[in-house]
Amino acid sequence: SSLHRTNQANRKADQLNKELAAAGYPTFPQGDIARTLGTSGGPVCTDPDSALKKAQWLAEQANGAAGPGIRPVIADRQVLDAGALVIKVYCPDRLQDYQDQIDDLKTGDTVR
């Protein structure tokens, strides 16, 4: 059963890398993805559209300062779309809810 899970995790990691490459994103070592996301997507797929995860994610979209200097930033759509690819591979049943949440956000062309 351990070998089966490892093989399945590697197949999903390979699928994610193919999706990333097709969308023009960099790929990652297959073993790193498999160890991080396993067969189920791990924390990415654990209620990705919950209010708490959305609040945490929005809080991370900031300028990097601390305390009174912290300011929100306009996220690049590429970041959100890369997250959607992970959800598409590991928990496709949650993709529409994720899309609905990110479609409401103001995004910009901020990644160089």
Side-chain angles (χ1 to χ4, degrees):
S1 108
S2 177
L3 180 59
H4 175 73
R5 280 194 310 273
T6 300
N7 289 339
Q8 187 179 15
N10 286 330
R11 281 193 300 276
K12 284 198 172 192
D14 186 52
Q15 181 184 353
L16 177 58
N17 266 335
K18 287 178 183 174
E19 294 278 348
L20 290 170
Y25 295 104
T27 59
F28 300 92
Q30 181 186 37
D32 291 351
I33 296 172
R35 279 188 300 280
T36 303
L37 299 175
T39 59
S40 66
V44 173
C45 292
T46 304
D47 203 12
D49 54 331
S50 73
L52 177 59
K53 283 207 176 172
K54 183 177 180 182
Q56 289 172 324
W57 183 86
L58 289 172
E60 292 170 1
Q61 303 307 307
N63 62 1
I70 195 167
R71 300 285 184 273
V73 297
I74 296 173
D76 196 290
R77 185 68 191 198
Q78 291 180 354
V79 175
L80 302 173
D81 291 342
L85 291 177
V86 175
I87 292 173
K88 177 183 174 185
V89 170
Y90 286 91
C91 45
D93 57 315
R94 296 187 175 265
L95 182 58
Q96 188 57 52
D97 291 335
Y98 177 79
Q99 282 298 150
D100 291 344
Q101 293 231 0
I102 66 173
D103 286 345
D104 292 339
L105 298 175
K106 180 178 179 180
T107 60
D109 186 16
T110 59
V111 173
R112 295 181 187 178

